[in-house]
């Protein structure tokens, strides 16, 4: 029984010795900067004295937006997407699934119906 206690104490002291190794101190790291201290101070003064720096975004009125498409085109695209039969189906709906739309779009069906009815009326 004493030998098991001695072996346990020896193993514990080996673990303690391995864990007691300290890191070496390499001193304070020096700061690396491309600007001088005076340039940084001048930039801080400019930023601190700028007007309305703490006003939340959107509180000054509407922001301008760059328009890239005509409003009517965007509206038609939105309506077409809203009426798509498989708009809520995504590839992540089921594991390892792929979305292959076999369903005809209702807007296409309506256009074809109007064209076919117009062709027979002539």
């Amino acid at each position: 029984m004493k030998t098991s206690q001695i072996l346990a104490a020896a193993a514990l002291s080996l673990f303690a010795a391995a864990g007691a190794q300290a890191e070496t101190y390499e001193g304070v790291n020096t700061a690396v900067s491309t600007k001088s201290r005076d340039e940084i101070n001048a930039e801080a003064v400019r930023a601190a004295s700028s007007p309305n720096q703490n006003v939340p975004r959107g509180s000054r009125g509407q922001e301008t937006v760059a328009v890239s498409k005509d409003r009517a085109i965007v509206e038609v695209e939105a309506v077409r997407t809203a009426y798509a039969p498989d708009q809520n189906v995504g590839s992540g709906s089921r594991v390892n699934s792929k979305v292959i739309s076999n369903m005809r779009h209702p807007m296409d069906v309506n256009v074809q119906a109007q064209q076919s009815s117009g062709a027979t009326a002539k």
Side-chain angles (χ1 to χ4, degrees), residues 59-119:
S59 65
R60 296 185 191 121
Q62 287 185 335
E63 296 181 9
T64 58
V65 177
V67 178
S68 60
K69 287 186 177 181
D70 187 31
R71 184 181 184 95
I73 294 172
V74 173
E75 186 175 350
V76 168
E77 288 176 356
V79 169
R80 180 172 178 81
T81 303
Y83 282 103
D86 57 354
Q87 68 167 343
N88 294 327
V89 180
S91 61
S93 298
R94 295 200 172 96
V95 177
N96 297 328
S97 64
K98 292 182 181 178
V99 177
I100 300 171
S101 181
N102 295 333
M103 304 169 85
R104 296 177 65 178
H105 198 283
M107 294 179 84
D108 294 339
V109 172
N110 292 341
V111 169
Q112 287 176 354
Q114 289 174 356
Q115 289 175 351
S116 64
S117 66

Side-chain angles (χ1 to χ4, degrees), residues 8-20:
L12 186 60
S13 64
L14 283 174
F15 285 126

